Amino acid sequence: MFLNSLVEYLKSLKPIILVRHGQSESNVDPLVGGWQNPGLTSLGHKQAQAVAKRLAKELSGKDFVVYSSHLKRAYETAQCICTELKTNPIVDEMLQEYQTNLDPNLSRPEAEQYKLVETKPTMNWRTFSGAESLGELFLRAGKVLSRITDDHKEIIVIVCHGWIIDKMIAWWMGYGLEDLSANMFATANASISVLSISQFGERILLKLNDTTHLNHFEEKDSFLE
């Protein structure tokens, strides 16, 4: 079990477990964008149940807390996890995905006409006019991760989205605003990534994009939102 062995080895502060939501409609439907707040597909629900069972096994007998984005695809994943763990998720809107601020009635093809070309430095890029910049996403990711870790001594499980997980990891590993690129640490649907602090006080990335609990699934992950 990855947590048991690593926690014993590191004798560190509690790990922070980042879980990306299961497959959502926006991952497979070319008409649906993440700003439309889609829920999980039938495969996404199965993936959520698989990651839930793995976490229930890994966290048995340990103290933990579960946080979730309020968006449907993440919250539905968190509900599956919390059913297995016999707890309730703490919903935090700061864990939401990158904020495009698009009209939720816009389809993906309709939204494409408003998309902005990537600018340099990347920290100033807004994918759409009025959207969050990549730098603002990075700072939000760091702020919410810092707050949650300061508030809890237990193992922390955070269920959210690919792009904010990407920026959480970058922030944890000490990247600065000037170091940002659009995609730095890609994660698959229902994957597990683990952050911690070593016995030497170093922030470390223990696991990235662990999907071994999904080996029996076939996933089509075409749209990373």
Side-chain angles (χ1 to χ4, degrees), residues 92-173:
D92 193 322
E93 293 193 4
M94 281 189 69
L95 294 171
Q96 69 179 289
E97 184 56 299
Y98 173 74
Q99 298 177 52
T100 61
N101 292 319
L102 288 170
D103 183 337
N105 294 313
L106 281 179
S107 68
R108 187 186 294 270
E110 290 170 334
E112 282 297 316
Q113 63 184 308
Y114 300 108
K115 195 166 186 179
L116 302 177
V117 176
E118 183 174 349
T119 56
K120 299 295 181 181
T122 303
M123 65 180 177
N124 294 330
W125 180 40
R126 301 178 190 274
T127 58
F128 299 93
S129 178
E132 195 173 28
S133 72
L134 267 289
E136 288 168 343
L137 172 63
F138 175 78
L139 293 175
R140 173 163 65 87
K143 185 175 181 179
V144 67
L145 185 57
S146 179
R147 171 170 52 77
I148 290 173
T149 54
D150 286 347
D151 285 349
H152 295 280
K153 294 182 178 180
E154 312 97 315
I155 293 171
I156 297 166
V157 179
I158 298 177
V159 186
C160 54
H161 310 267
W163 225 356
I164 190 169
I165 288 174
D166 176 21
K167 298 304 178 276
M168 280 182 175
I169 296 172
W171 180 85
W172 186 260
M173 297 303 295

Side-chain angles (χ1 to χ4, degrees), residues 2 15 59:
F2 73 90
L59 296 176

